[in-house]
Protein backbone atom coordinates (compact mmCIF):
# COMPACT_ATOMS: atom_id res chain seq x y z
CA UNK A 1 0.00 0.00 0.00
CA UNK A 2 3.03 2.26 -0.36
CA UNK A 3 1.78 4.21 -3.32
CA UNK A 4 -0.89 6.69 -4.31
CA UNK A 5 -2.30 7.22 -7.80
CA UNK A 6 -3.42 10.68 -8.86
CA UNK A 7 -5.80 11.27 -11.74
CA UNK A 8 -4.94 14.71 -13.07
CA UNK A 9 -7.95 16.79 -14.03
CA UNK A 10 -5.91 19.97 -14.58
CA UNK A 11 -2.33 21.16 -14.42
CA UNK A 12 -2.69 21.89 -10.69
CA UNK A 13 -2.89 18.83 -8.48
CA UNK A 14 -2.95 17.85 -4.83
CA UNK A 15 -2.24 14.52 -3.19
CA UNK A 16 -2.75 13.05 0.24
CA UNK A 17 -0.63 10.90 2.52
CA UNK A 18 -1.40 9.51 5.97
CA UNK A 19 0.35 11.27 8.85
CA UNK A 20 0.68 10.15 12.46
CA UNK A 21 -0.24 13.15 14.44
CA UNK A 22 -15.54 12.04 -1.06
CA UNK A 23 -18.05 11.61 -2.19
CA UNK A 24 -20.80 14.06 -1.23
CA UNK A 25 -23.94 12.11 -0.39
CA UNK A 26 -27.48 13.36 -0.49
CA UNK A 27 -27.53 15.98 2.23
CA UNK A 28 -30.89 14.73 3.43
CA UNK A 29 -29.82 11.10 3.50
CA UNK A 30 -29.77 9.51 6.93
CA UNK A 31 -28.50 6.08 7.85
CA UNK A 32 -31.14 4.63 10.19
CA UNK A 33 -29.90 3.00 13.38
CA UNK A 34 -30.39 -0.72 13.78
CA UNK A 35 -32.03 -0.32 17.16
CA UNK A 36 -34.47 2.19 18.55
CA UNK A 37 -32.84 5.29 19.99
CA UNK A 38 -34.22 8.61 21.15
CA UNK A 39 -33.82 11.19 18.39
CA UNK A 40 -33.32 14.90 19.03
CA UNK A 41 -32.77 18.02 16.94
CA UNK A 42 -29.22 19.32 17.39
CA UNK A 43 -26.91 21.99 15.97
CA UNK A 44 -23.13 21.57 15.92
CA UNK A 45 -20.28 24.02 15.47
CA UNK A 46 -16.70 23.43 14.38
CA UNK A 47 -13.80 24.20 16.68
CA UNK A 48 -10.22 23.75 15.58
CA UNK A 49 -7.95 22.04 18.05
CA UNK A 50 -4.48 23.59 17.77
CA UNK A 51 -4.01 24.65 14.16
CA UNK A 52 -6.08 27.39 12.56
CA UNK A 53 -6.11 25.79 9.11
CA UNK A 54 -8.04 22.57 9.61
CA UNK A 55 -10.81 23.23 7.17
CA UNK A 56 -11.83 22.08 3.73
CA UNK A 57 -10.68 24.49 1.01
CA UNK A 58 -7.54 26.45 0.20
CA UNK A 59 -7.20 29.69 -1.76
CA UNK A 60 -4.33 31.00 -3.93
CA UNK A 61 -2.72 32.62 -0.90
CA UNK A 62 -2.64 29.32 0.97
CA UNK A 63 -5.44 30.19 3.40
CA UNK A 64 -7.60 27.21 4.34
CA UNK A 65 -11.22 27.68 5.38
CA UNK A 66 -14.67 26.16 5.44
CA UNK A 67 -16.98 26.77 2.50
CA UNK A 68 -20.76 27.10 2.76
CA UNK A 69 -22.39 23.82 1.85
CA UNK A 70 -19.45 21.61 2.90
CA UNK A 71 -21.03 18.27 3.81
CA UNK A 72 -19.91 16.56 7.02
CA UNK A 73 -21.18 13.18 8.21
CA UNK A 74 -21.94 13.08 11.95
CA UNK A 75 -22.26 9.80 13.88
CA UNK A 76 -24.02 9.08 17.18
CA UNK A 77 -23.54 5.29 17.20
CA UNK A 78 -21.73 2.55 15.30
CA UNK A 79 -24.55 2.48 12.74
CA UNK A 80 -26.38 5.81 13.16
CA UNK A 81 -25.30 8.81 11.11
CA UNK A 82 -26.59 11.72 9.08
CA UNK A 83 -25.21 14.54 6.93
CA UNK A 84 -25.04 18.19 7.94
CA UNK A 85 -23.71 21.15 5.98
CA UNK A 86 -21.60 24.18 6.81
CA UNK A 87 -23.79 27.28 6.93
CA UNK A 88 -21.20 29.94 6.10
CA UNK A 89 -17.65 30.22 4.77
CA UNK A 90 -14.77 31.27 6.96
CA UNK A 91 -12.24 30.20 9.55
CA UNK A 92 -14.98 28.65 11.67
CA UNK A 93 -18.54 27.63 10.95
CA UNK A 94 -21.77 26.23 12.31
CA UNK A 95 -23.66 23.37 10.70
CA UNK A 96 -27.27 22.83 9.72
CA UNK A 97 -29.57 21.50 12.41
CA UNK A 98 -30.00 17.75 12.09
CA UNK A 99 -31.91 14.95 13.82
CA UNK A 100 -29.48 12.71 15.72
CA UNK A 101 -29.68 9.98 18.29
CA UNK A 102 -28.95 10.81 21.92
CA UNK A 103 -25.28 10.10 22.69
CA UNK A 104 -22.56 11.11 25.13
CA UNK A 105 -20.22 12.12 22.28
CA UNK A 106 -20.65 12.70 18.56
CA UNK A 107 -18.12 11.94 15.83
CA UNK A 108 -17.77 13.61 12.44
CA UNK A 109 -15.81 13.01 9.23
CA UNK A 110 -15.09 15.30 6.27
CA UNK A 111 -15.46 14.76 3.38
CA UNK A 112 -18.80 13.04 3.79
CA UNK A 113 -17.94 9.37 3.44
CA UNK A 114 -19.32 6.31 5.16
CA UNK A 115 -16.62 5.31 7.66
CA UNK A 116 -16.57 2.81 10.54
CA UNK A 117 -17.20 4.15 14.04
CA UNK A 118 -16.60 2.10 17.19
CA UNK A 119 -18.27 3.88 20.08
CA UNK A 120 -17.07 1.33 22.66
CA UNK A 121 -13.40 1.87 21.79
CA UNK A 122 -13.90 5.59 21.02
CA UNK A 123 -12.31 5.26 17.60
CA UNK A 124 -12.91 6.02 13.94
CA UNK A 125 -11.60 3.71 11.19
CA UNK A 126 -10.92 5.86 8.13
CA UNK A 127 -10.27 4.60 4.63
CA UNK A 128 -8.12 7.05 2.65
CA UNK A 129 -8.55 6.22 -1.07
CA UNK A 130 -5.38 5.38 -2.98
CA UNK A 131 -6.62 7.19 -6.08
CA UNK A 132 -7.17 10.95 -5.83
CA UNK A 133 -8.86 13.24 -8.34
CA UNK A 134 -6.61 16.25 -7.86
CA UNK A 135 -9.01 18.31 -5.72
CA UNK A 136 -8.00 19.63 -2.31
CA UNK A 137 -11.39 19.08 -0.67
CA UNK A 138 -11.48 15.33 -1.38
CA UNK A 139 -7.90 14.81 -0.23
CA UNK A 140 -8.19 16.79 3.00
CA UNK A 141 -9.65 14.23 5.42
CA UNK A 142 -10.43 15.58 8.87
CA UNK A 143 -12.11 13.78 11.76
CA UNK A 144 -13.75 15.32 14.79
CA UNK A 145 -15.47 14.51 18.05
CA UNK A 146 -17.39 16.41 20.70
CA UNK A 147 -16.57 16.23 24.36
CA UNK A 148 -19.26 14.55 26.52
CA UNK A 149 -22.42 16.63 26.68
CA UNK A 150 -21.19 19.26 24.20
CA UNK A 151 -22.08 20.17 20.62
CA UNK A 152 -18.71 21.58 19.55
CA UNK A 153 -16.76 19.32 17.21
CA UNK A 154 -12.98 19.39 17.57
CA UNK A 155 -11.45 18.48 14.20
CA UNK A 156 -8.03 16.94 13.53
CA UNK A 157 -6.16 16.24 10.30
CA UNK A 158 -5.99 12.62 9.18
CA UNK A 159 -3.97 13.47 6.06
CA UNK A 160 -1.24 15.73 4.76
CA UNK A 161 -1.68 17.52 1.44
CA UNK A 162 1.11 18.43 -0.97
CA UNK A 163 0.74 20.71 -3.99
CA UNK A 164 2.78 20.52 -7.19
CA UNK A 165 2.38 21.66 -10.80
CA UNK A 166 2.26 19.53 -13.95
CA UNK A 167 3.13 21.53 -17.08
CA UNK A 168 2.96 18.74 -19.68
CA UNK A 169 -0.54 18.17 -21.10
CA UNK A 170 0.32 14.59 -22.09
CA UNK A 171 0.66 13.54 -18.42
CA UNK A 172 -2.73 12.44 -17.11
CA UNK A 173 -1.80 10.63 -13.90
CA UNK A 174 1.04 10.37 -11.42
CA UNK A 175 1.87 7.53 -9.04
CA UNK A 176 3.52 8.45 -5.73
CA UNK A 177 5.43 5.86 -3.67
CA UNK A 178 6.91 6.28 -0.22
CA UNK A 179 10.68 5.86 -0.02
CA UNK A 180 10.50 3.09 2.59
CA UNK A 181 7.40 1.36 1.23
CA UNK A 182 5.16 2.49 4.12
CA UNK A 183 1.49 3.19 3.51
CA UNK A 184 0.48 6.63 2.25
CA UNK A 185 -3.16 5.64 1.72
CA UNK A 186 -5.57 3.00 2.97
CA UNK A 187 -6.68 2.30 6.54
CA UNK A 188 -5.96 4.62 9.46
CA UNK A 189 -7.48 4.34 12.94
CA UNK A 190 -8.18 7.49 14.95
CA UNK A 191 -8.28 6.70 18.67
CA UNK A 192 -10.01 9.29 20.90
CA UNK A 193 -9.90 7.22 24.10
CA UNK A 194 -7.30 9.47 25.76
CA UNK A 195 -8.90 12.77 24.69
CA UNK A 196 -10.57 14.20 27.80
CA UNK A 197 -10.58 17.95 27.04
CA UNK A 198 -10.14 20.45 24.23
CA UNK A 199 -6.34 20.33 24.48
CA UNK A 200 -6.11 16.59 23.86
CA UNK A 201 -5.06 14.96 20.59
CA UNK A 202 -6.25 11.59 19.29
CA UNK A 203 -3.77 8.88 18.32
CA UNK A 204 -3.50 8.10 14.60
CA UNK A 205 -2.55 4.49 13.91
CA UNK A 206 -1.67 3.34 10.39
Amino acid sequence: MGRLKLIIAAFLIFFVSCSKEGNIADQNQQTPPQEEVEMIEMSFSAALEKLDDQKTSIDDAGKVQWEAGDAVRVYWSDVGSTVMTAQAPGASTSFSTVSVGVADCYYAVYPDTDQRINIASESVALTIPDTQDGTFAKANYIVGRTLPGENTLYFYYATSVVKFNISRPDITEVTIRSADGSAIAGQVSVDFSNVTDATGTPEFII
Side-chain angles (χ1 to χ4, degrees):
M1 186 78 71
R3 67 178 185 177
L4 179 69
K5 181 182 289 186
L6 303 175
I7 306 301
I8 301 175
F11 299 149
L12 185 64
I13 186 168
F14 298 93
F15 82 93
V16 61
S17 66
C18 294
S19 66
K20 291 194 177 180
E21 300 239 85
N23 298 318
I24 302 302
D26 182 352
Q27 295 175 3
N28 296 319
Q29 178 183 355
Q30 177 172 306
T31 304
Q34 299 299 311
E35 58 184 34
E36 289 188 10
V37 296
E38 180 184 355
M39 303 295 289
I40 58 174
E41 295 294 307
M42 198 164 183
S43 297
F44 294 89
S45 61
L48 307 172
E49 184 254 345
K50 294 177 181 177
L51 302 176
D52 64 356
D53 56 353
Q54 293 172 335
K55 298 103 179 178
T56 63
S57 67
I58 186 168
D59 61 20
D60 292 337
K63 182 179 179 181
V64 187
Q65 63 181 9
W66 291 98
E67 290 187 347
D70 280 337
V72 175
R73 182 166 291 274
V74 59
Y75 298 81
W76 60 87
S77 73
D78 294 359
V79 294
S81 69
T82 192
V83 177
M84 58 188 183
T85 56
Q87 296 300 284
S92 61
T93 193
S94 59
F95 298 101
S96 56
T97 300
V98 289
S99 179
V100 297
V102 174
D104 290 334
C105 298
Y106 295 86
Y107 297 78
V109 175
Y110 177 89
D112 164 33
T113 51
D114 192 13
Q115 306 288 344
R116 297 198 311 275
I117 310 296
N118 189 318
I119 299 298
S121 64
E122 302 182 60
S123 65
V124 179
L126 289 175
T127 300
I128 310 299
D130 59 6
T131 298
Q132 300 290 331
D133 65 2
T135 60
F136 178 83
K138 291 183 180 179
N140 181 38
Y141 275 71
I142 55 177
V143 59
R145 191 186 75 162
T146 68
L147 294 173
E150 294 187 5
N151 66 341
T152 299
L153 287 158
Y154 296 89
F155 282 97
Y156 307 82
Y157 277 125
T159 57
S160 298
V161 179
V162 175
K163 169 186 173 181
F164 59 90
N165 296 319
I166 301 296
S167 59
R168 286 176 49 184
D170 58 316
I171 298 177
T172 59
E173 68 179 46
V174 174
T175 299
I176 307 297
R177 294 181 175 89
S178 58
D180 61 359
S182 59
I184 58 175
Q187 298 289 328
V188 56
S189 176
V190 188
D191 183 0
F192 285 90
S193 60
N194 291 322
V195 178
T196 58
D197 57 38
T199 65
T201 301
E203 181 181 6
F204 288 79
I205 304 168
I206 299 175

